[in-house]
Amino acid sequence: MDSPVLPPIRFDNSYARDLADLTVAWPPEEPPAPGVVAFNRDLAEELGLDAQALSGAAEFFAGGYVPPGAKPVAQAYAGHQFGGFSPQLGDGRALLMGEVIDARGQRRDIHLKGSGRTPFSRGGDGKAALGPMLREYAMGEAMHALGIPTTRALAVATTGETILRDMKPLPGAVLTRVAASHIRVGTFQFFAARGETDRLRRLMDYTIARHYPQAAGAENPALALFDAVAAGQVRLIAEWMAVGFVHGVMNTDNMALSGETIDYGPCAFMEAYAPGTVFSSIDRQGRYAWGNQPLILGWNLARFAETLVPLVDPDGERAVEALNTRLQGIAPAYRAAWVAVMRRKLALDGEDPGDGDLADDLLAAMEGQGPDWTLTFRRLPTAIGGDSGRIAPLFTDAGALNDWLPRWRARLAPDAAARLAAANPAVIPRNHLVEEALDAATVGDMAPFEALIAALREPFAYRTDRYALPAPRGFGNYVTYCGT
Ligand code: AMP
Ligand code: MG
């Protein structure tokens, strides 16, 4: 199919070229009636692309047109899903089209999700429904605006096809995802599980060259890679926790070595504070609950470390020892990152050894009292004076909060009010607003989605309307679904 509106995109295909044994060349499926429903002008410009011309490229965004230079491949990877290992997962409904070098010289993947079956589809139909693809778009934009590393959507296009989910007919769609790369812990596990050390080494060299070039010159590049990945993940999870983000499927195939948040499936933001918050219908044990995410971080990094054993040292025992020492450092590193994040959220003056306890005690005061996570922090400026301002009404019983506030005031930075407003968002993707926008989009009305995206793009703006308020009481418990 021709695509007269598509401007030239300068694709490269370094992944398919250098790591051919991790890819299968595979074409996207031709969509019957493509149409662009969401286009990310911002991101197009960041990529150095002609946004105006690209915005109408429905055939490309729906998978029906492979432009010159693009070389679609399905990527192989393995992964631990809910703790159980699958030696082969892979892109079951996605294709890497190629890479572009963005306006800042960074290599970014252009990836289609929902573009049809691949050799890795197993029982799946290879398709995606419009709602979940728009959800991924919205979540990525929210995280980006919050300053959290993330993959982002360049566009969502409908295919004109109707797909079935839970017996329900839904509009089919394709998301164009832009990522620093799609290399996952599971990508390393793919070769490690097969004992293919030479290929594993090539993957390591590629990953280092693409993401952590400083590790190439280290005394032990494999250990340096581990350190760089671990540092990025520690920072990332601390940032997730700070905004109440619950990823929902922290499987090792959904942990990107670039340090970006990836694979927005059943994720959602916690509203009323409860460390056990879980949204995903299939996470019955709460493995990926908000408060468990730092533990899963350590678990996933241990799985990554296992893959590196043959690359760290030919003497397996020495390799394991070196990696174990590092794994023991993850929990303290996370704790330090969390305390740093809380110093920012609480606008504390400098650093004090008691800051971790101060942060812990706020959370203890919130526990069981049901305050909205986002609003508790957002309203802190109203409590700088002598009373609990507009925070106490968020609590069922504000007794413990009232004991805590004077301790906090004693640690406040001089410019605390401004720092608090800059560190704590007013707007997060509230579950009821996301659902409302997706429901409208599914029946052809994009206005609520566009209004939501506009609000998410300025999370720190002064705002007291519905975009900055919790769900009405009637909204009930929110449940999200995987495999969408
Ligand atoms: P996820 O939970 O999105 O990380 O996906 C886990 C695995 O299931 C990946 O290998 C996906 O490619 C695959 N998958 C998810 N949905 C589908 C689908 N509709 N058709 C084929 N494969 C799928
Ligand atoms: Mg995934």
Side-chain angles (χ1 to χ4, degrees), residues 21 144 185 193 213 223 378-379 476:
D21 36 18
H144 176 71
V185 169
L223 287 176
R378 182 67 182 179
R379 290 183 180 178

Side-chain angles (χ1 to χ4, degrees), residues 77 81 113 177 184 253-254 263:
Y77 50 84
Q81 302 183 302
K113 180 165 170 178
R177 177 156 75 186
R184 311 147 188 268
D253 53 305
N254 293 335
D263 263 350

